[in-house]
Amino acid sequence: MSSAKPEREYFLDSIRAYLMLLGVPFHVSLIYSTQRWAVNSHDASMWLTVLNDFIHAFRMQVFFVISGYFSYMLYLRYQPQHWLKVRMERVGIPLLTAIPLITLPQFFMLKNLTDKVGHWDSFSWYDKYNTLAWELISHLWFLLVLVILTAFGMLTFRWLSTQQRKIDYQQVGWGKLTLALLAYALVWCLFRRALFYAVPAVFADGLFSVAVMQTLTFLPFFMLGALAWKHQALKALFVRFNPVMCFSAIAVFIAYSLNQRYSSGDGWLYEIDEVISTLMGLCMLNVCFSFGHKLLNSHSPRIMYLVNASLFIYLVHHPLTILYGIYVTPHISSNTLGFFVGLLMVFGIAFTLYEIHLRIPLLRFLFSGKPQRNEVKTPSATR
């Protein structure tokens, strides 16, 4: 098993919670960005487009590093079969709960109140299946990826736990990490390009795009988190501020924005995006971990409340954001005002629903995957 580790690392819980909660400004800003979404304002806002791009450029890479870190920690704490059961429950039950309670009603809302779904009655059976796959997975995609990575972890974590040290991680720096992840990104690009030439239609399949391509995208970050638990020198690298990584994040983000504006989906948009997002993820990993370790590594009841609430808030905010875009956005002429009003309304309703769900044991179980006691308690953060 593992050697003794430091007590609970609050900064990682806090960073993960804030990354989850960033999903709200990300989707609200989508309404006002140049990106085509389910609902858009009449005119796009440049600063909200930049904000939306920035959040999207790094958020999930850092999230999956933290997920891999905690997943491997729990793998060493439990027997493998028990670990798999616990992890599948913690991730799978909220996923299965959110589909009928959140994304299925959201699908009917999109179908009846927007033009996103299109002419449903004229769809073939496959088109209907595929549309449902996209819309039922929707913003739950990261939970599906976590389920797959958890299953994959039964193999990779067993190998990792028995691996004899062949690399001196004291000598591993950001340069070597960058080269290693760039090599993986290039392999991903070759794989995608081969599929693009051989079976281009496969990228329109929602289940394939999430279960295969998204999983492969975030696999190295998930494993990087596991390695950071096993090798404390690697974690120490992450939490030590590096000004080169900080300023590089600015340059990489500019490249990310230019790629989004000027590349085409029929060209090399996604391959370039994979390389840039890999670099952005590494740069912001250092920024998030170093500042988080300095500012958030202490117990705070208010922060722990956000940690506990973050998953639920993320799950319910998406249809609330769409409803806001449909019914409120057209009545606010200022994009900036509309964005902040949207944040207040979506967060306000989401936290109200969170407080209601805390008082219903069945809902607490369904949205956390944890057995509930009779007394009302705020559930622990999902790991």
Side-chain angles (χ1 to χ4, degrees):
M1 305 300 282
S2 65
S3 57
K5 298 290 179 179
E7 62 182 26
R8 184 165 184 167
E9 293 160 307
Y10 294 103
F11 79 101
L12 291 178
D13 280 327
S14 299
I15 294 171
R16 183 178 53 182
Y18 285 126
L19 291 173
M20 192 79 72
L21 293 173
L22 272 177
V24 179
F26 170 70
H27 285 112
V28 174
S29 63
L30 259 180
I31 297 174
Y32 301 100
S33 75
T34 57
Q35 301 286 346
R36 173 69 176 165
W37 199 49
V39 185
N40 288 104
S41 62
H42 181 69
D43 296 309
S45 165
M46 183 51 63
W47 85 266
L48 288 172
T49 299
V50 173
L51 174 66
N52 184 267
D53 284 347
F54 178 70
I55 295 173
H56 190 259
F58 77 93
R59 183 171 68 104
M60 296 312 297
Q61 297 95 308
V62 180
F63 174 86
F64 276 102
V65 171
I66 299 174
S67 296
Y69 184 91
F70 284 139
S71 293
Y72 187 66
M73 177 193 75
L74 293 176
Y75 178 86
L76 297 179
R77 181 179 299 175
Y78 302 127
Q79 292 297 321
Q81 295 300 326
H82 182 61
W83 170 82
L84 182 63
K85 176 179 180 295
V86 170
R87 289 298 299 161
M88 286 299 187
E89 288 174 348
R90 301 285 174 84
V91 179
I93 291 176
L95 171 63
L96 295 176
T97 296
I99 289 175
L101 295 185
I102 296 176
T103 56
L104 182 59
Q106 178 181 276
F107 163 74
F108 286 107
M109 180 173 65
L110 290 170
K111 176 176 176 290
N112 296 320
L113 299 178
T114 74
D115 59 0
K116 182 181 181 183
V117 174
H119 303 288
W120 177 261
D121 293 335
S122 65
F123 284 4
S124 67
W125 283 108
Y126 173 76
D127 289 336
K128 290 181 177 180
Y129 146 77
N130 194 35
T131 301
L132 279 172
W134 279 110
E135 300 305 333
L136 295 187
I137 294 174
S138 186
H139 63 297
L140 311 179
W141 67 267
F142 78 99
L143 289 175
L144 177 57
V145 170
L146 278 176
V147 167
I148 297 170
L149 289 176
T150 297
F152 188 64
M154 284 292 287
L155 299 175
T156 57
F157 288 175
R158 182 183 298 116
W159 167 80
L160 189 59
S161 63
T162 59
Q163 182 192 37
Q164 299 299 316
R165 178 175 294 190
K166 298 180 180 179
I167 301 175
D168 182 3
Y169 283 88
Q170 297 285 351
Q171 303 300 318
V172 173
W174 288 109
K176 292 181 179 179
L177 276 181
T178 300
L179 290 176
L181 264 71
L182 276 179
Y184 178 90
L186 291 175
V187 172
W188 186 97
C189 293
L190 290 174
F191 175 65
R192 187 192 183 279
R193 185 54 44 171
L195 290 177
F196 181 77
Y197 289 135
V199 280
V202 74
F203 295 110
D205 188 283
L207 189 57
F208 176 85
S209 294
V210 174
V212 177
M213 300 308 294
Q214 291 283 59
T215 299
L216 291 176
T217 292
F218 294 107
L219 172 61
F221 292 97
F222 186 78
M223 292 305 300
L224 193 60
L227 285 168
W229 172 267
K230 182 177 176 68
H231 303 288
Q232 289 295 293
L234 198 57
K235 178 189 160 191
L237 177 70
F238 295 167
V239 301
R240 186 171 57 249
F241 177 73
N242 186 312
V244 174
M245 299 302 290
C246 180
F247 289 107
S248 294
I250 299 173
V252 175
F253 175 65
I254 293 173
Y256 177 90
S257 298
L258 292 174
N259 185 52
Q260 294 296 312
R261 300 292 171 279
Y262 298 110
S263 294
S264 166
D266 293 330
W268 295 87
L269 168 67
Y270 298 105
E271 288 81 2
I272 297 173
D273 180 78
E274 175 70 12
V275 173
I276 293 175
S277 295
T278 296
L279 293 173
M280 189 68 179
L282 278 176
C283 293
M284 290 303 295
L285 173 62
N286 180 239
V287 173
C288 292
F289 272 45
S290 59
F291 281 100
H293 186 262
K294 182 178 181 179
L295 302 175
L296 302 172
N297 200 25
S298 61
H299 176 71
S300 165
R302 285 177 291 183
I303 296 297
M304 291 310 298
Y305 176 82
L306 294 178
V307 169
N308 295 331
S310 59
L311 176 61
F312 182 90
I313 299 303
Y314 181 82
L315 293 179
V316 302
H317 89 280
H318 199 265
L320 295 175
T321 303
I322 295 173
L323 285 172
Y324 173 80
I326 293 173
Y327 290 110
V328 181
T329 294
H331 302 288
I332 302 178
S333 58
S334 168
N335 286 338
T336 299
L337 177 62
F339 171 72
F340 286 108
V341 170
L343 288 183
L344 288 174
M345 291 185 66
V346 172
F347 270 128
I349 297 173
F351 275 108
T352 300
L353 292 175
Y354 174 70
E355 287 295 329
I356 293 172
H357 116 285
L358 287 181
R359 290 153 177 79
I360 305 173
L362 177 60
L363 287 180
R364 294 204 312 272
F365 166 70
L366 291 176
F367 282 99
S368 71
K370 300 179 182 180
Q372 300 294 312
R373 298 178 180 178
N374 292 329
E375 67 269 23
V376 175
K377 287 187 178 181
T378 302
S380 301
T382 301
R383 280 188 176 174

